C-alpha cells in the first residue's frame, strides 16, 4: 500500500489510475479503524479497481475540542488493517497539507444540516462537507462509500454531490455491530465498562421499535417512546429520538416503510448515534 500525504500526490495518483483505465473508489475515515470501516473497504473493492482510503481527523468538523483531543489515533494498526483488506492507496495528510495557509472556503449544505446532529453540533456538517468536497475534488473518484451509521452525513454528502454536479456514485454501507448490537464506533473505546454495558440499550430500543412496526404500529410517538424508555433505564442522556423521512430528514408523525428512527445520546461523556430503517 502506498501512503500519500498531499492533495497533489492524491490527484496525480488518481490521474494515473484513470489513464490506466482503472476505476477508483474512495473511503473517507478518521482512522482508529474497526470492522465497520473495513466493511466499507471490502464493499469499495467490489465497485472499483483501485481503493483509496483516507485517514484524516478533521478539526473543522469537531465543535467540541475535548472530543477532538480525545479522538483515538492508531496509525500503525490502521495501516496494517488497510493492507490486509487490499487497499492500494492511503491518503493521510496532516492538517497543514489539508488546509493551507489562509484557507477560507467552506461548503455549506443548507436545510438538512439544521436538524439532528446539525443542531446539536453547530458547524459539524460544514466541516464534513468541506473536507469531503476537497477529497472528491483532488481524487475525482468514480465511487465513494459511506456508512449508514452516520445517516445524516450520507444525506448531506448526497445533497452536496447532487447540487454541485459531482459525477460520483455514493454507496451507503450497512451498519456493522458488536455481537450485542452496539454499533461499532471509534468512540466506543472511551466508554467505561458500565457505560459500554448500558450502551446496548440503544440497539435494543431500535429493535423493539422495529418489532412494534412489524406488528402494525405506525404512530411515531409510540415508537419513539419505546426507544426512549429503553434508554431511560440507563445513565445515558437522550439528545434526540426521532422518526424521519430518509431524504428530507423531516420528522414524521406516521411511520412508513423506509423511514428512519435516529437516536443520539450522551453516555459517560461520549456522544453515541445510531439509527434503523424501518422495514
Ligand atoms: P469515521 O471514521 O467515524 O468518520 O467513519 C468513517 C466512515 O465509516 C463513515 O462513512 C462512517 O459512516 C463509517 N462507519 C463508522 N462506523 C461504522 C459502522 N459501525 N458500520 C458501518 N460503517 C461505519
Amino acid at each position: 500500500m502506498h501512503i500519500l500525504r498531499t492533495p497533489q500526490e492524491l490527484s496525480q495518483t488518481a490521474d494515473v489510475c484513470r489513464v490506466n483505465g482503472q476505476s477508483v473508489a474512495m473511503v473517507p475515515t478518521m482512522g482508529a479503524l474497526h470492522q465497520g470501516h473495513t466493511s466499507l473497504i471490502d464493499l469499495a473493492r467490489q465497485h472499483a479497481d483501485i481503493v483509496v482510503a483516507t485517514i484524516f481527523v478533521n478539526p473543522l468538523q469537531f465543535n467540541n475540542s475535548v472530543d477532538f483531543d480525545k479522538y483515538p489515533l492508531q496509525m500503525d494498526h490502521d495501516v496494517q488493517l488497510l493492507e490486509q483488506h487490499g487497499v492500494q492507496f492511503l491518503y493521510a495528510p496532516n492538517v497543514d497539507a489539508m488546509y493551507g495557509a489562509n484557507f477560507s472556503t467552506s461548503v455549506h449544505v443548507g436545510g438538512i444540516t439544521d436538524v439532528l446532529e446539525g443542531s446539536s453540533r453547530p458547524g459539524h456538517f460544514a466541516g464534513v462537507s468541506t473536507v469531503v468536497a476537497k477529497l472528491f475534488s483532488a481524487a475525482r473518484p468514480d465511487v465513494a462509500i459511506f456508512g449508514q451509521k452516520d445517516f445524516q452525513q450520507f444525506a448531506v454528502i448526497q445533497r452536496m454531490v447532487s447540487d454541485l454536479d459531482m459525477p460520483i456514485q455514493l454507496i451507503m454501507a450497512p451498519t456493522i455491530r458488536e455481537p450485542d448490537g452496539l454499533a461499532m464506533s471509534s468512540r466506543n473505546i472511551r466508554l467505561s465498562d458500565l457505560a459500554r454495558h448500558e450502551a446496548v440499550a440503544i440497539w435494543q430500543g431500535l429493535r423493539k421499535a422495529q418489532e412494534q412496526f412489524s406488528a402494525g404500529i405506525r404512530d411515531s410517538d409510540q415508537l419513539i417512546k419505546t426507544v426512549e424508555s429503553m434508554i431511560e433505564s440507563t445513565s445515558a442522556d437522550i439528545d434526540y429520538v426521532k422518526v424521519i423521512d430518509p431524504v428530507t430528514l423531516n420528522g414524521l408523525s406516521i411511520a412508513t416503510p423506509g423511514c428512519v428512527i435516529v437516536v443520539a445520546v450522551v453516555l459517560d461523556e461520549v456522544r453515541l448515534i445510531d439509527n434503523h430503517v424501518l422495514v
Side-chain angles (χ1 to χ4, degrees):
M1 184 175 73
H2 298 278
I3 301 184
L4 314 168
R5 297 289 185 188
T6 66
Q8 293 75 20
E9 283 173 8
L10 174 61
S11 190
Q12 283 160 11
T13 301
D15 280 346
V16 170
C17 295
R18 271 185 291 275
V19 168
N20 291 340
Q22 292 165 310
S23 55
V24 175
M26 184 169 239
V27 182
T29 82
M30 296 202 299
L33 303 179
H34 49 66
Q35 285 169 49
H37 298 111
T38 56
S39 75
L40 269 54
I41 302 281
D42 295 342
L43 196 58
R45 287 179 48 217
Q46 292 171 25
H47 283 87
D49 304 311
I50 301 291
V51 176
V52 180
T54 79
I55 294 182
F56 180 63
V57 184
N58 177 26
L60 287 192
Q61 72 188 68
F62 286 82
N63 58 312
N64 175 336
S65 60
V66 177
D67 194 27
F68 179 67
D69 292 341
K70 287 195 175 167
Y71 205 84
L73 292 173
Q74 309 174 356
M75 195 49 99
D76 292 346
H77 158 271
D78 290 352
V79 166
Q80 230 180 10
L81 207 57
L82 293 174
E83 280 178 338
Q84 280 166 12
H85 285 262
V87 169
Q88 291 98 333
F89 296 101
L90 165 63
Y91 178 47
N94 64 23
V95 174
D96 289 340
M98 180 62 86
Y99 300 116
N102 305 319
F103 184 85
S104 24
T105 299
S106 178
V107 178
H108 169 70
V109 175
I112 57 173
T113 58
D114 294 337
V115 296
L116 308 173
E117 290 305 287
S119 62
S120 297
R121 305 178 65 190
H124 167 67
F125 283 118
V128 170
S129 40
T130 301
V131 80
V132 173
K134 281 174 68 66
L135 295 173
F136 284 178
S137 142
R140 285 149 289 133
D142 300 276
V143 181
I145 321 278
F146 294 87
Q148 181 190 327
K149 158 92 175 13
D150 299 277
F151 192 89
Q152 188 177 12
Q153 170 173 280
F154 189 89
V156 169
I157 293 166
Q158 182 83 75
R159 189 75 264 145
M160 175 187 79
V161 161
S162 169
D163 289 353
L164 298 184
D165 309 315
M166 295 175 168
I168 301 169
Q169 182 195 357
L170 298 185
I171 296 174
M172 186 194 278
T175 302
I176 304 297
R177 299 178 179 282
E178 300 287 355
D180 66 1
L182 175 65
M184 288 189 181
S185 164
S186 308
R187 290 185 175 89
N188 290 351
I189 51 172
R190 283 168 47 198
L191 296 168
S192 67
D193 288 350
L194 173 64
R196 170 64 190 82
H197 184 70
E198 289 182 322
V200 72
I202 302 168
W203 176 238
Q204 285 170 343
L206 288 169
R207 255 191 18 202
K208 206 159 174 206
Q210 174 62 58
E211 279 167 23
Q212 293 184 339
F213 186 77
S214 300
I217 290 170
R218 293 290 181 268
D219 177 31
S220 293
D221 285 343
Q222 196 173 336
L223 300 171
I224 289 168
K225 280 211 178 71
T226 297
V227 180
E228 284 177 345
S229 59
M230 195 65 93
I231 297 170
E232 277 159 5
S233 67
T234 72
S235 57
D237 291 323
I238 296 174
D239 183 2
Y240 58 76
V241 179
K242 294 213 162 116
V243 174
I244 60 162
D245 176 274
V247 177
T248 64
L249 309 189
N250 289 333
L252 300 172
S253 53
I254 301 293
T256 50
C259 74
V260 190
I261 309 193
V262 287
V263 180
V265 308
V266 178
L267 178 57
D268 203 18
E269 294 180 15
V270 181
R271 185 176 182 83
L272 299 175
I273 59 171
D274 202 350
N275 63 79
H276 174 68
V277 179
L278 290 167
V279 289

